[in-house]
Amino acid sequence: MAGFDTYSLGDFPLTSGETLPNAVIAYKTYGSPSLPAIIYPTWFSGAISDNEWLIGPDKALNPSQYFIIVPAMFGNGQSSSPSNSPPSLRPFPDISIRDCVTAQHRLITEHLGVTHARCILGWSMGACQTYQWITQYPDFTDLAVPFCGSARTSVHNQVFLEGVKSALLSAKRASSAGSAKGESTPAGDYSTWNEEERTAGLKAMGRVYAGWGFSQAFYREKLYETKLGYTSLEGFMVNFWEKWALSKDPENLLVMLRAWQAGDCSDQPPFNGDFELAMKSIKAKTLVLPGKTDLYFPPEDSSYEVACMTPGVGSCVPFPSIWGHWAGGPGTNPEDVEWLDAKLKALLEDGTVKD
């Protein structure tokens, strides 16, 4: 299922007041446009193909039943990103989750001709985009399933990401300018990455991420050995975490990190920072699936999101898993995939929330 298409957005105005020149959004579709639409955005660092583990003839996201649209975030390396933009566009403009969803709405309505969706769903930053969709365009979809994500990035999550960002930046002797900001280097002194800095920064970032992606219980029970087949913790660090990080572009990651830290679907009219009002505005039936042991997006935050929704709109059912954030994707643990797919099938078939 390789390959993707792009749609030109022209000079794209951003919520920061900047403009992203000659912007493009990458996407891929599965199934016939005559079928009910499902929108499934990508996640932090993920390519379009990284969403395909949840799509197939035996899955809830079945291309013979639905027209599945996977739009790529700005910064993922396929939509407009530092890695595919001219060197003159440095530092890269400040991108928000709202910008990503505005671009997706244009793609889906202007180019693909879809005016309503059956469901919008996503994992991690894909879940954050799902929340943005259902608050920014509350009448666009019947159903929403944000899994292992949040409507607003918590302070603790911002702190976690500061560690990730700082590990990455330290390789080129730069430092963070603060949460939801880039590096502290003045724009006129900004420098790109040489190969040595890139390698050192990405390896450091991967090792910081390793302590957050999976839970304490995952490591305590050594599932990296019994389930993933690594023979040692160091082997797991090098061949899972460092390998993952080294496949990425550091400047792309920083664009997405900044958007993640600033994530807050109440930071838009008409809510103007009133988070509870934003949650109450949601009209789509929303099944929120946090990870029971997720260190990024704990279930307590998800429970509060649902509690703020109009009664009957939201439900919260945690993944009963010790795989931490990775319970929600990208298809690493078969038991978690089966659990998630069963929830999606029940919801898509008749709106049932399966406990």
Side-chain angles (χ1 to χ4, degrees):
M1 292 196 278
F4 60 89
D5 296 305
T6 59
Y7 177 59
S8 176
L9 299 163
D11 291 343
F12 188 80
L14 301 168
T15 56
S16 65
E18 300 173 272
T19 297
L20 182 58
N22 302 311
V24 297
I25 182 169
Y27 70 98
K28 187 170 180 179
T29 65
Y30 311 77
S32 168
S34 65
L35 297 169
I38 290 179
I39 303 167
Y40 181 23
T42 60
W43 40 278
F44 173 72
S45 87
I48 289 168
S49 60
D50 292 323
N51 275 22
E52 292 179 341
W53 61 274
L54 200 54
I55 300 170
D58 59 335
K59 299 287 198 306
L61 303 191
N62 183 345
S64 69
Q65 294 180 294
Y66 299 102
F67 180 49
I68 303 158
I69 305 162
V70 178
M73 292 180 60
F74 287 135
N76 90 318
Q78 295 171 317
S79 291
S80 289
S81 307
S83 64
N84 59 23
S85 297
S88 58
L89 202 61
R90 300 291 187 280
F92 200 75
D94 187 355
I95 300 293
S96 70
I97 291 175
R98 184 178 167 194
D99 294 327
C100 293
V101 169
T102 299
Q104 291 166 24
H105 185 265
R106 281 189 55 188
L107 162 74
I108 288 162
T109 57
E110 295 175 2
H111 184 57
L112 298 178
V114 173
T115 58
H116 190 78
R118 175 60 176 157
C119 185
I120 302 172
L121 77 160
W123 173 53
S124 194
M125 272 194 88
C128 304
Q129 291 166 83
T130 299
Y131 269 118
Q132 183 65 37
W133 261 102
I134 60 178
T135 51
Q136 188 172 345
Y137 304 106
D139 296 307
F140 201 87
T141 186
D142 302 321
L143 306 169
V145 188
F147 51 102
C148 299
S150 68
R152 174 178 60 186
T153 303
S154 70
V155 175
H156 185 253
N157 199 330
Q158 293 180 51
V159 171
F160 145 55
L161 293 171
E162 275 300 289
V164 172
K165 186 201 303 181
S166 296
L168 189 56
L169 287 171
S170 66
K172 66 169 190 170
R173 297 178 177 84
S175 58
S176 171
S179 182
K181 298 177 182 178
E183 62 179 81
S184 59
T185 308
D189 298 329
Y190 185 85
S191 63
T192 54
W193 304 67
N194 64 40
E195 192 59 31
E196 182 180 2
E197 291 167 345
R198 179 188 180 279
T199 298
L202 290 170
K203 282 185 174 183
M205 179 194 143
R207 286 183 179 252
V208 171
Y209 228 102
W212 291 90
F214 295 100
S215 73
Q216 295 96 333
F218 174 92
Y219 284 105
R220 186 184 308 118
E221 298 189 17
K222 297 187 176 181
L223 297 191
Y224 55 88
E225 294 181 356
T226 59
K227 294 291 187 178
L228 297 181
Y230 294 93
T231 57
S232 67
L233 179 60
E234 182 62 14
F236 183 51
M237 289 291 188
V238 171
N239 296 305
F240 184 95
W241 285 110
E242 287 188 359
K243 182 180 178 181
W244 164 75
L246 287 167
S247 71
K248 310 302 176 184
D249 179 276
E251 293 193 78
N252 290 354
L253 293 172
L254 288 168
V255 166
M256 291 181 282
L257 278 172
R258 190 166 57 189
W260 182 353
Q261 286 187 307
D264 181 354
C265 68
S266 70
D267 186 18
Q268 60 177 320
F271 315 118
N272 302 315
D274 188 332
F275 182 75
E276 291 73 18
L277 179 61
M279 293 296 94
K280 191 175 181 180
S281 78
I282 292 171
K283 297 179 180 179
K285 186 168 186 176
T286 303
L287 175 58
V288 182
L289 303 175
K292 179 183 175 182
T293 57
D294 193 332
L295 301 177
Y296 308 176
F297 305 105
E300 294 85 355
D301 291 345
S302 297
S303 294
Y304 183 69
E305 292 165 353
V306 170
C308 292
M309 296 177 191
T310 302
V313 168
S315 301
C316 182
V317 184
F319 279 81
S321 172
I322 65 169
W323 283 66
H325 187 61
W326 251 244
T332 312
N333 180 30
E335 290 83 1
D336 290 329
V337 175
E338 184 178 351
W339 185 90
L340 172 60
D341 193 58
K343 296 289 181 290
L344 294 176
K345 282 177 178 173
L347 187 71
L348 288 169
E349 284 171 6
D350 57 15
T352 300
V353 174
K354 184 176 179 181
D355 293 330

